[in-house]
Amino acid sequence: MQRRRKVLSSIAGTLLVLLALLLVAVATFDWNRMKPFIADKVSQAIGRPFAIDGELTVDWQRDRHGSWFASLLPRPEFTARDIRIANPGWAARLQFAHLDALRFRLSLPALLAHRIDVPTLQLVRPTVDLERDKSGRASWDFAPPENTAPSAWKLQLGTIGFDQGLITLDDAANRVKLKLVVEPLQEAIPYEQIVAQQSSDAREQAGKTVGAAAKKAMAGGNVTPEPVGQATASTTYQFSWTAEGSYQGSPLTGKGRTGAVLALQDTTRPFPLQADLRIGDSRIALVGTLTDPLHLGALDVRLWFSGSSMAKLYPLTGLTLPDTPPYATEGHLKAALHRGGSRYSYQDFRGRVGGSDLAGNLVFVTGGKRPKLSGDVHSELLQFADLAPLIGADANAGKMQRGDATPQPADKLLPVEPFRTERWQAMDADVSFSGARIVRGAALPIDSLATHLVMNNGALYLDPLSFGLAGGTVRSNITLDGSRTPMRGLLKLDARHLRLKQLFPTLEPMRTSFGEINGDAALDAQGNSIAALLGSANGELKLLMNDGAISKTLLETAGLNVGNIVIGKLFGDKTVQINCAAADMAASNGLFDMRLFVFDTDDALINVTGTVNFANEKLDLDVKPHTKGFRVFSLRSPLYVRGTLKNPDVGVHAGPLLARGAGAVALGTVAAPAALLALVAPSHGDDGDNTCRAVLQQLRSSGKVIPASKPAAKK
């Protein structure tokens, strides 16, 4: 037994001596002799030259935060100075990166399991030059040699520490040039302080871009929003960065702050981010955290957008958004980032677009055949004028502000700005939108708007697009197939129960009116703008109005340029009671033919014939007034309407005055009145009183109209 103990003691002593000799040898070893070996192995691994031009030294330290056993064993901390990594041969610059030094700790026991465990990695004054050429080759894509067998060694990085540095980017594929400077802050700044400061700055910018109402809408009653992300009480910002350059021809500037240590393995340790970018006149700001960056993990930030038009976000975000007036939004962005596809959720956002408020939730998912945007957006008060840029109907000054290069010709009324159909194929969409109240001036309110927008493979569907208008509804289904050239457009629309006293609340004669407007439209067209679509339209339009009133001033207020001139010529500026107005138009290649267009007053029956050519916007109409009995009517000669929609020419036909009297007037075919009779029933039923019923039934039976008396007043 004693002999065995002596043998074991001898073996243990020998092992301790060998271990001590090994530690002494490792501690005193000249690690610079390993530089060629390390450089060769790293060069082979990354597929390009790697060199350590400075000293390679080792400092032994104990991990005081590890377990009791681990804290007893010293760990080596390597410092490699003056490190250079070359660029691939095609790059314009010879050097990809240079570091004054690279410090990293190494776990020796892990080497026995063929695992390179680096708990910490510290970059000292890095300089990085990033390049991508027009073909898409990127200098940051490291390609190891082909036919290389999988390595038995595995690398595991714990955290990466940052230092003062410089990063430049020249991306020819995306037309981006950028210079980024990173510097340490004089003192760490608490996370909550950065959130409050960025919120204040972004809301001030919103006020400058859209107006004071935008700042108030984005605040939503909270001066300082609750912090988002996975930050804790100890989360701080320790570095600042500034950026300048250009993005697709637009100047780019930016600034922000970050944390000091990026955790690659600990998915619960957040890395704080803050950025404030200006690209052209668009501004993007964010503040929050990134976790699990090794797997592109999760981004959780408060996000602000502002600028002259949402359409300008397309090259920045890949989102196909409409042309809009100046806008600003604020919301909570949560992103699950993965190489095969990511999911971005913009939650509880709110803001302003022009004079309208906007709020909702959106989700953008990538990784499928095409990215897809889905969600719901709503507005409590939507200014009608803010919808004009969607179809290119805003003024040229507005077009210039949002960067559109297609000014509206001075002699054209219909918008000529083309739809951006090439963007429609970049993503799909399924978004519901509702506007609780729409305002077009103080006198013409629209009650509400609702639509379900679907975009699929370049085709845009509004199914349905509905308005609540004057106590009634306007319901339509619109298809714009942008995958075809030229684009094909389909429109089906019906208007029901539009009450005149609600449609024109400021006109005194309308306040006691029981009249309504009903109508139908069905059009099939081709073209990439509103002007082109109407200029090629085929189909028909029908409209019926009973028991209303009209005046030159009213039509002028409503923007009906031709109508106010004609009414002014016929009746002057007085208000005229309308017993019935009926229109039935057939369209062929943009030429709208008046199969029937008549309106009946107490003093006269007005018949309009001719065509409106939307292809060239030319008018060719004749307006024939017919007096009833011996009532006094100032103008009994027919009018002509020529010129264009923008500049109509209305005058009196030369020739004898029409005969006064009770003679019957031929107005149209039997088919047109029969089609319009269907629009009477929705408002009054088959037996209800309606002046238009009598007029249309007479036309249907004889093709002529005789003077009609007004229906008896309802008791």
Side-chain angles (χ1 to χ4, degrees):
M1 181 66 69
Q2 188 174 4
R3 179 184 175 89
R4 179 182 292 183
R5 289 179 179 176
K6 288 182 178 181
V7 172
L8 292 176
S9 298
S10 177
I11 293 174
T14 302
L15 291 175
L16 289 174
V17 170
L18 290 175
L19 181 59
L21 291 174
L22 178 62
L23 292 176
V24 171
V26 171
T28 60
F29 180 73
D30 184 4
W31 289 94
N32 289 301
R33 297 170 60 183
M34 293 293 295
K35 291 195 301 183
F37 175 80
I38 295 174
D40 179 64
K41 294 303 181 184
V42 174
S43 297
Q44 291 182 35
I46 66 176
R48 65 181 69 170
F50 171 88
I52 303 175
D53 294 337
E55 289 189 344
L56 178 60
T57 60
V58 177
D59 183 21
W60 294 85
Q61 295 181 354
R62 287 188 298 173
D63 185 5
R64 300 183 182 277
H65 300 287
S67 63
W68 70 270
F69 179 76
S71 64
L72 296 177
L73 296 177
R75 286 190 175 188
E77 182 178 88
F78 292 83
T79 301
R81 294 176 174 82
D82 195 5
I83 293 179
R84 301 179 186 274
I85 303 174
N87 258 325
W90 56 262
R93 296 176 181 267
L94 296 177
Q95 187 168 279
F96 170 75
H98 174 264
L99 289 84
D100 282 4
L102 178 65
R103 296 192 181 97
F104 60 95
R105 292 183 181 179
L106 189 63
S107 174
L108 294 179
L111 297 175
L112 299 176
H114 289 82
R115 190 176 74 247
I116 303 175
D117 188 356
V118 181
T120 61
L121 181 69
Q122 181 71 37
L123 309 178
V124 181
R125 300 182 69 89
T127 301
V128 183
D129 291 312
L130 306 175
E131 293 183 49
R132 178 156 53 188
D133 63 11
K134 292 182 178 180
S135 65
R137 295 180 299 180
S139 64
W140 55 87
D141 289 336
F142 292 90
E146 296 182 2
N147 302 321
T148 301
S151 175
W153 290 84
K154 294 183 179 180
L155 173 64
Q156 182 170 313
L157 293 177
T159 62
I160 297 180
F162 296 95
D163 193 10
Q164 180 177 355
L166 172 66
I167 301 173
T168 60
L169 170 65
D170 188 350
D171 186 349
N174 293 314
R175 297 173 56 207
V176 180
K177 289 190 176 183
L178 188 65
K179 179 181 178 182
L180 184 72
V181 178
V182 181
E183 295 180 332
L185 295 169
Q186 292 183 353
E187 60 181 357
I189 303 177
Y191 178 78
E192 292 80 1
Q193 183 177 332
I194 296 295
V195 172
Q197 180 181 338
Q198 183 60 73
S199 300
S200 177
D201 291 347
R203 291 168 181 175
E204 287 294 333
Q205 179 62 36
K208 295 176 183 178
T209 303
V210 188
K215 179 180 177 181
K216 182 178 179 181
M218 291 169 64
N222 296 323
V223 177
T224 302
E226 294 182 3
V228 299
Q230 307 300 318
T232 64
S234 61
T235 302
T236 60
Y237 292 83
Q238 300 180 50
F239 282 86
S240 68
W241 59 267
T242 57
E244 60 179 357
S246 63
Y247 185 92
Q248 298 193 357
S250 298
L252 180 153
T253 59
K255 61 181 180 179
R257 299 177 182 87
T258 70
V261 178
L262 183 63
L264 301 181
Q265 300 297 330
D266 185 357
T267 58
T268 64
R269 186 174 178 181
F271 181 70
L273 297 170
Q274 184 251 332
D276 195 335
L277 292 172
R278 297 173 185 265
I279 305 175
D281 62 6
S282 297
R283 180 169 177 173
I284 303 175
L286 62 88
V287 59
T289 61
L290 172 68
T291 55
D292 194 15
L294 190 62
H295 301 95
L296 294 179
L299 187 67
D300 194 347
V301 299
R302 185 163 295 278
L303 182 64
W304 294 266
F305 291 112
S306 63
S308 60
S309 173
M310 287 188 178
K312 290 185 177 182
L313 291 175
Y314 174 75
L316 307 177
T317 64
L319 292 171
T320 301
L321 298 173
D323 288 294
T324 67
Y327 72 96
T329 67
E330 172 182 338
H332 182 186
L333 177 70
K334 298 184 71 173
L337 308 171
H338 305 287
R339 294 190 183 277
S342 300
R343 186 179 190 273
Y344 303 85
S345 176
Y346 196 32
Q347 302 174 348
D348 300 322
F349 73 84
R350 57 185 180 269
R352 300 281 292 187
V353 179
S356 308
D357 66 272
L358 208 63
N361 297 276
L362 292 172
V363 175
F364 186 60
V365 179
T366 67
K369 187 175 181 180
R370 286 178 300 275
K372 184 173 183 179
L373 179 71
S374 58
D376 65 277
V377 181
H378 55 270
S379 173
E380 294 298 323
L381 179 61
L382 184 64
Q383 293 287 345
F384 198 79
D386 294 334
L387 300 176
L390 273 67
I391 58 172
D394 52 335
N396 283 338
K399 294 176 185 291
M400 291 180 62
Q401 184 179 20
R402 58 183 173 85
D404 182 73
T406 311
Q408 181 70 16
D411 60 341
K412 297 293 183 181
L413 181 65
L414 301 177
V416 301
E417 180 180 336
F419 293 101
R420 304 177 192 266
T421 54
E422 73 282 357
R423 297 184 177 182
W424 296 3
Q425 300 187 46
M427 68 172 228
D428 294 339
D430 188 340
V431 178
S432 297
F433 176 81
S434 63
R437 181 167 175 253
I438 304 177
V439 175
R440 181 178 182 254
L444 296 174
I446 301 175
D447 303 325
S448 60
L449 178 150
T451 188
H452 180 205
L453 182 151
V454 175
M455 191 156 58
N456 183 33
N457 196 23
L460 177 66
Y461 307 91
L462 298 175
D463 184 16
L465 172 61
S466 300
F467 291 88
L469 176 61
T473 60
V474 178
R475 182 182 176 88
S476 64
N477 298 90
I478 300 174
T479 298
L480 299 175
D481 190 353
S483 66
R484 301 174 51 170
T485 303
M487 179 178 71
R488 185 186 182 190
L490 299 173
L491 167 68
K492 290 186 177 180
L493 178 146
D494 62 77
R496 295 292 183 267
H497 308 299
L498 308 189
R499 301 185 183 278
L500 296 175
K501 63 181 177 181
Q502 296 182 35
L503 187 62
F504 305 110
T506 61
L507 185 63
E508 184 64 33
M510 292 288 198
R511 294 184 179 179
T512 57
S513 171
F514 291 99
E516 290 186 353
I517 293 179
N518 292 280
D520 287 325
L523 297 174
D524 185 341
Q526 295 186 98
N528 283 12
S529 67
I530 295 297
L533 287 169
L534 287 175
S536 64
N538 298 290
E540 58 184 9
L541 297 172
K542 297 181 176 65
L543 186 70
L544 202 64
M545 182 186 83
N546 68 283
D547 305 324
I550 200 170
S551 72
K552 174 179 178 294
T553 302
L554 177 66
L555 294 176
E556 186 176 359
T557 302
L560 301 176
N561 193 25
V562 178
N564 76 65
I565 297 176
V566 171
I567 294 300
K569 291 280 188 181
L570 290 175
F571 302 104
D573 200 21
K574 69 176 183 178
T575 299
V576 179
Q577 295 290 337
I578 302 293
N579 300 323
C580 174
D584 188 347
M585 299 177 241
S588 177
N589 293 322
L591 186 67
F592 285 69
D593 181 36
M594 306 296 170
R595 293 189 297 197
L596 176 69
F597 191 169
V598 58
F599 54 98
D600 180 73
T601 73
D602 289 341
D603 294 328
L605 186 75
I606 313 298
N607 182 30
V608 181
T609 59
T611 61
V612 177
N613 192 336
F614 282 98
N616 55 22
E617 299 195 9
K618 288 188 176 180
L619 303 168
D620 187 8
L621 300 171
D622 292 313
V623 182
K624 300 176 182 179
H626 304 274
T627 58
K628 294 182 177 181
F630 294 95
R631 294 172 180 169
V632 177
F633 186 55
S634 62
L635 179 62
R636 294 174 298 279
S637 289
L639 302 176
Y640 64 81
V641 181
R642 305 291 185 264
T644 65
L645 294 173
K646 189 70 176 289
N647 299 299
D649 176 22
V650 181
V652 180
H653 268 300
L657 298 178
L658 294 180
R660 177 191 312 201
V665 181
L667 289 176
T669 65
V670 175
L676 286 168
L677 275 171
L679 295 178
V680 176
S683 53
H684 291 271
D686 291 335
D687 300 323
D689 292 331
N690 189 314
T691 308
C692 284
R693 182 185 302 279
V695 173
L696 294 175
Q697 285 177 339
Q698 290 165 9
L699 280 172
R700 185 182 184 186
S701 60
S702 64
K704 297 182 179 181
V705 168
I706 59 177
S709 59
K710 295 183 66 174
K714 294 183 179 182
K715 297 182 180 179

